[in-house]
Amino acid sequence: MAEEIIISNHLTKEEKYKQLLPQIASLIEHEPDLIANLANCCAALHFTFNFWWTGFYLVKNNELVLGPFQGPIACTRIKKGKGVCGAAWENSKTLIVPDVNSFPGHISCSSESKSEIVVPFYDENQQVAAVLDIDSNQYSNFDQTDAKYLENICTLFRFRF
Ligand code: SME
């Protein structure tokens, strides 16, 4: 496997995602272990975009349980429908939150977190198996470009849960 992720300087966000996606694909291609792959995936995203917090919550016994992440410590369990993660899971929908203070029931793991995107990851039966949660320390950091490319990353994992 590659030993580092290479992203050119001075690219737009979309160009960075375009460079990153095939690198994540090849990073996970020959490794069957889900946790190892999720761990490298969130590290690649986190350091490419300098996010505040980047990580996965995995569906286990009808709860979201903290999985691989980069950033400060975070809450370990989230119930269906609770917070942004639980809402994205319940509705099987990517959620973009420009200002976390305006999201009813937002679960604050860090006062630095200002905006957030949560993308459900599906298994081969189209059931939510995990969510990718990314926090920024800036307001309105996420848009449809993030949603599009993060959902593309989700499809790389579809048959791996
Ligand atoms: N803010 C999330 C909780 C997880 S932390 O941000 C890492 C939520 O409202 O679901």
Side-chain angles (χ1 to χ4, degrees), residues 35-56:
I35 298 301
N37 287 330
L38 292 176
N40 263 342
C41 179
C42 74
L45 283 166
H46 190 78
F47 290 102
T48 296
F49 294 103
N50 202 20
F51 293 133
W52 176 253
W53 194 92
T54 311
F56 290 93

Side-chain angles (χ1 to χ4, degrees), residues 5 18 21 29 37 44 48 52 54 66 98 111 120 122 124 127 135 139 144 151:
I5 295 289
K18 282 184 174 164
L21 241 80
E29 189 180 5
N37 287 330
T48 296
W52 176 253
T54 311
L66 184 63
S111 57
Y122 302 93
E124 72 268 29
Q127 299 301 304
D135 291 18
Y139 291 108
Q144 290 304 324
E151 286 169 4

